[in-house]
Amino acid sequence: DTGVSQNPRHKITKRGQNVTFRCDPISEHNRLYWYRQTLGQGPEFLTYFQNEAQLEKSRLLSDRFSAERPKGSFSTLEIQRTEQGDSAMYLCASSLMPMNTEAFFGQGTRLTVV
Amino acid sequence: SQQGEEDPQALSIQEGENATMNCSYKTSINNLQWYRQNSGRGLVHLILIRSNEREKHSGRLRVTLDTSKKSSSLLITASRAADTASYFCATDPNTGNQFYFGTGTSLTVIP
C-alpha cells in the first residue's frame, strides 16, 4: 500500500450531471476525510468517517453532496446536479485513530464543470 | 471556516537561503501539521508537532510551536528549487475531530 489513492484524477462534466469520485485510504487507517480546495485557497473540510460511520458534515456541504464509506474501506463522494461553483480539487485524506497522528492526502480529483 | 493563517502569503528566495513561514491559529489544538503542495497536486505531509512539543526537526525542516502565542513556524534550511511549492499548516482543535487549513504560503526558490 503506497498511500491514499483517488480516482479519477480529472473529471470534466456538464452542468447538471452527476459525478462520483472514489478514495482508497491507507489500508489500516480508520479515519477518512474529504476536503475541497479552490484555486489560491487552503483545503476546506467537507466530511469525515470513522470506519463506516459518517460522523461530521460541514454546514457548507449542500444536499447535492453525499458521501459513503461502506464496510469502512474505500469511500465515494457524489455530487448531484453539478454547478459551475462545484469546480474545485476534491481531496481525500486518511489517518489512524487515536488523534495526534498524521493525516495523509491523496493526489486529489480535479473537477471542472462546464 | 479556516482557523489557521500563514504568513507571508508569498515568499521568494535564492537557492541556498533559508525560508521561514509562520502559522497563527485561533483555538487550543491537539497538534499542528505542515504540508507541501506542488501546483495542481495533492498535499504531501511534512511534519506533525504535538501540543506538548516545542520544536521538531526532519531533515532540512525545523518546526516550532508556541501554544501561548498560538503560532508555529516552519524553517526550510538550504533551500532548493524543488522546494518551490505552497506550504500549509493544519490545526487539529481539541474541540473537534477535523483539522483546519490556512490559506498557505507560496514559496518560490530561484535557482
Side-chain angles (χ1 to χ4, degrees), chain A residues 8 13 17 20-21 26-27 40 42 46 51 67 73-74 76 78-79 89 96-97 102 106-108 114:
Chain A
T13 190
Q17 297 294 305
T20 301
F21 311 139
I26 294 172
S27 58
L46 294 179
N51 298 312
S73 56
F74 72 92
T76 58
E78 181 183 17
I79 309 174
M89 175 80 89
L96 182 64
M97 275 293 282
E102 297 90 343
Q107 289 295 306
V114 297

Side-chain angles (χ1 to χ4, degrees), chain A residues 35-78:
Chain A
Y35 281 77
R36 177 172 64 190
Q37 185 180 25
T38 53
L39 199 62
Q41 299 296 313
E44 184 177 48
F45 172 76
L46 294 179
T47 188
Y48 90 92
F49 292 83
Q50 175 75 22
N51 298 312
E52 68 276 8
Q54 186 175 19
L55 297 184
E56 188 172 344
K57 290 172 62 174
S58 167
R59 286 170 288 176
L60 302 173
L61 204 63
S62 83
D63 291 343
R64 297 183 296 105
F65 287 70
S66 62
E68 294 183 340
R69 194 185 181 195
K71 305 177 184 177
S73 56
F74 72 92
S75 175
T76 58
L77 177 68
E78 181 183 17

Side-chain angles (χ1 to χ4, degrees), chain B residues 38-93:
Chain B
N38 291 89
S39 181
R41 307 295 296 275
L43 287 94
V44 174
H45 188 273
L46 296 177
I47 199 163
L48 176 149
I49 187 164
R50 294 178 171 75
S51 59
N52 60 355
E53 297 175 316
R54 291 296 166 257
E55 188 170 313
K56 207 159 181 182
H57 297 255
S58 177
R60 295 183 296 113
L61 306 181
R62 172 178 170 253
V63 168
T64 61
L65 179 64
D66 186 335
T67 53
S68 67
K69 295 181 179 178
K70 293 185 171 59
S71 67
S72 174
S73 68
L74 170 67
L75 168 67
I76 304 173
T77 60
S79 63
R80 305 168 182 168
D83 295 328
T84 294
S86 291
Y87 291 81
F88 294 91
C89 67
T91 54
D92 165 25

Side-chain angles (χ1 to χ4, degrees), chain B residues 21-40:
Chain B
M21 51 206 88
N22 304 294
C23 168
S24 59
Y25 56 91
K26 298 174 184 173
T27 65
S28 298
I29 60 171
N30 291 315
N31 61 58
L32 185 146
Q33 304 181 67
W34 282 93
Y35 290 85
R36 183 185 75 230
Q37 186 177 39
N38 291 89
S39 181

